[in-house]
Amino acid sequence: MVRGKVELKRIENTTSRQVTFSKRRNGLLKKAGELSVLCDADVALIIFSEKGKFYEFASSNMQKIIQKYREYVKMDDTCNPETEVHTQQLKQQDAARIQQDIQQLEASKRNFLGQDLVSCSLDEISELGSKLEHALRFVRAKKASLFKAQVENLKAKERCHLEENARLWQEKTSLGQKFTKVVARNENITEVNTDLLIGLRLS
């Protein structure tokens, strides 16, 4: 029985498409392995399914094969005069665009400082004023936020100092009470009568 020719187009039925993918994927991986063994070739194969599932085959180390491919592509681009010319053109265009952006930024900076406003139209002046007001609001909000944080920090330090003063005062009071008790005890000891008689005791 002769196998009919399959028309190469997307299989609309989801189940049939998944079955075909599994069969052809396995066949492709098998052929890649046979090619690497029979011809002693470095073969790397990467497949992503419709749902993003990943399959790969490498005859040796996948990373080394990919690195070899990148080096080959880079060398091929370097050896291609048209690619080199195109690269130079892109660099020149990038440099010109960057230079133009720098000039625009410098002009905007001068305008924000109130300089070179003679050539500006009324709309440009209005837009510049709106930007300055917006920037001023942002700066004031940031300043208020920093002041608030600084005040909170100072209050926290004040609380720590007050707690430390209270602790030291308590320690001082406790030491004072202990000192008073010691002094009182010493006074009681010194009040003990000690009569010293010299000579014969008279009866």
Side-chain angles (χ1 to χ4, degrees):
M1 182 176 180
V2 180
R3 183 178 178 182
K5 186 177 181 181
V6 178
E7 185 180 2
L8 292 180
K9 67 176 184 178
R10 184 176 183 273
I11 301 174
E12 298 299 332
N13 185 275
T14 305
T15 304
S16 300
R17 187 166 64 246
Q18 184 62 36
V19 171
T20 303
F21 173 79
S22 299
K23 290 181 178 179
R24 299 218 172 199
R25 178 200 67 212
N26 293 335
L28 184 60
L29 293 172
K30 181 180 179 182
K31 291 293 183 182
E34 292 175 354
L35 179 63
S36 65
V37 173
L38 294 174
C39 303
D40 194 21
D42 280 339
V43 180
L45 176 63
I46 300 175
I47 303 173
F48 286 98
S49 69
E50 182 183 11
K51 296 182 179 180
K53 195 171 181 180
F54 173 70
Y55 304 91
E56 67 173 348
F57 168 81
S59 58
S60 57
N61 185 281
M62 175 65 79
Q63 295 296 330
K64 290 182 179 179
I65 297 176
I66 293 176
Q67 182 63 30
K68 186 186 295 185
Y69 167 75
R70 288 176 176 172
E71 291 175 356
Y72 176 81
V73 172
K74 183 178 180 181
M75 181 179 63
D76 186 60
D77 289 342
T78 304
C79 296
N80 191 345
E82 294 181 359
T83 303
E84 187 175 356
V85 171
H86 182 64
T87 303
Q88 292 296 330
Q89 291 176 350
L90 290 177
K91 289 182 179 180
Q92 292 175 358
Q93 293 174 1
D94 291 340
R97 185 173 63 254
I98 292 172
Q99 184 65 27
Q100 185 179 3
D101 292 342
I102 292 174
Q103 292 176 355
Q104 291 178 354
L105 289 173
E106 290 178 349
S108 298
K109 180 182 177 181
R110 289 193 298 270
N111 291 337
F112 274 116
L113 295 175
Q115 302 172 358
D116 298 341
L117 298 177
V118 178
S119 59
C120 295
S121 63
L122 179 60
D123 293 337
E124 291 174 345
I125 294 293
S126 300
E127 184 180 358
L128 180 62
S130 300
K131 289 181 179 179
L132 287 173
E133 290 177 359
H134 177 74
L136 186 58
R137 285 195 299 269
F138 178 79
V139 170
R140 286 175 176 171
K142 185 63 177 180
K143 183 180 179 181
S145 176
L146 292 175
F147 272 138
K148 183 178 179 181
Q150 189 173 7
V151 170
E152 294 295 332
N153 188 22
L154 291 174
K155 287 182 178 179
K157 289 183 178 180
E158 182 184 10
R159 287 194 296 269
C160 291
H161 289 319
L162 291 175
E163 292 174 358
E164 183 67 15
N165 288 337
R167 185 183 64 82
L168 292 175
W169 180 258
Q170 186 177 3
E171 290 181 357
K172 179 183 177 182
T173 304
S174 177
L175 290 174
Q177 292 175 353
K178 291 181 180 179
F179 180 75
T180 303
K181 291 180 181 179
V182 171
V183 171
R185 190 181 302 115
N186 291 336
E187 289 178 351
N188 292 334
I189 293 174
T190 56
E191 289 177 358
V192 176
N193 293 325
T194 56
D195 295 334
L196 179 63
L197 297 177
I198 301 175
L200 296 176
R201 181 185 294 274
L202 299 177
S203 58

